């Protein structure tokens, strides 16, 4: 079952349960998927593209959450946080810091990276291998830590 179908079913459930936060979040996800399909001229959207959409939406909400919190707008920050949690449910299981470290160590050994100069090589391979399993910021921080 594609993410679009899963989201459509979740929208129906949210409507029945009158869950406004989930409904708003899921409608936004579906709109992004439909936009991508329109741009692709009707071709099937890949799983990687769907994951990228979800990650981008979570990142946007995380940034908004931080800005609203910094400005003391906790009412708006709570909405962003709630939406972020709804969207996260549809991402693959995220790696723990220990699992992320092990994966990046493997990538470092595979690419032959030895120092911080090789960060680009490691990031390229890690971003592809860990797409959807961890966010880019966490991958970057771990890679920098392990290469220094």
């Amino acid at each position: 079952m594609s993410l679009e179908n899963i989201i459509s079913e979740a929208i129906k459930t949210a409507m029945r349960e009158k869950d406004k936060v989930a409904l708003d979040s899921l409608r936004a996800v579906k709109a992004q998927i439909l936009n991508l399909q329109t741009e692709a001229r009707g071709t099937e959207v890949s799983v990687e593209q769907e994951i990228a959409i979800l990650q981008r939406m979570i990142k946007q909400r995380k940034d908004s959450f931080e800005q609203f919190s910094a400005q003391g707008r906790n009412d708006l920050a709570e909405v962003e946080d709630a939406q972020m949690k709804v969207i996260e449910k549809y991402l693959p299981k995220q790696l723990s810091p220990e699992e992320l470290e092990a994966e990046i160590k493997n990538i470092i050994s595979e690419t032959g990276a030895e120092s911080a100069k090789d960060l680009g090589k490691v990031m390229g391979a890690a971003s592809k291998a860990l797409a959807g399993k961890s966010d880019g910021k966490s991958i970057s921080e771990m890679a920098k830590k392990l290469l220094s």
Side-chain angles (χ1 to χ4, degrees), residues 93-113:
K93 181 185 171 289
Q94 299 293 291
L95 294 175
S96 69
E98 296 80 23
E99 293 169 327
L100 179 62
E101 184 174 354
E103 290 287 335
I104 293 180
K105 282 181 180 178
N106 288 338
I107 292 169
I108 288 172
S109 65
E110 289 172 7
T111 58

Side-chain angles (χ1 to χ4, degrees), residues 7-27:
I7 296 296
S8 293
E9 291 302 314
I11 287 172
K12 291 175 191 173
T13 303
M15 289 171 80
R16 279 192 290 264
E17 295 175 359
K18 296 183 179 17
D19 186 348
K20 183 173 175 12
V21 173
L23 187 59
D24 291 345
S25 304
L26 296 169
R27 282 182 172 160

Side-chain angles (χ1 to χ4, degrees), residues 51-127:
I51 290 171
I53 288 170
L54 294 175
Q55 287 179 320
R56 185 173 53 246
M57 293 181 77
I58 289 171
K59 185 179 185 311
Q60 289 169 344
R61 278 151 184 79
K62 193 178 290 187
D63 292 343
S64 296
F65 173 79
E66 290 169 2
Q67 288 178 358
F68 290 142
S69 295
Q71 295 171 357
R73 294 295 310 265
N74 293 333
D75 55 330
L76 297 174
E78 289 171 8
V79 171
E80 295 295 326
D81 187 46
Q83 287 186 354
M84 193 171 29
K85 288 176 182 170
V86 169
I87 297 169
E88 284 175 342
K89 293 177 187 175
Y90 299 94
L91 272 178
K93 181 185 171 289
Q94 299 293 291
L95 294 175
S96 69
E98 296 80 23
E99 293 169 327
L100 179 62
E101 184 174 354
E103 290 287 335
I104 293 180
K105 282 181 180 178
N106 288 338
I107 292 169
I108 288 172
S109 65
E110 289 172 7
T111 58
E114 297 175 359
S115 67
K117 291 190 303 186
D118 301 320
L119 182 63
K121 223 185 325 185
V122 173
M123 283 302 296
S127 295

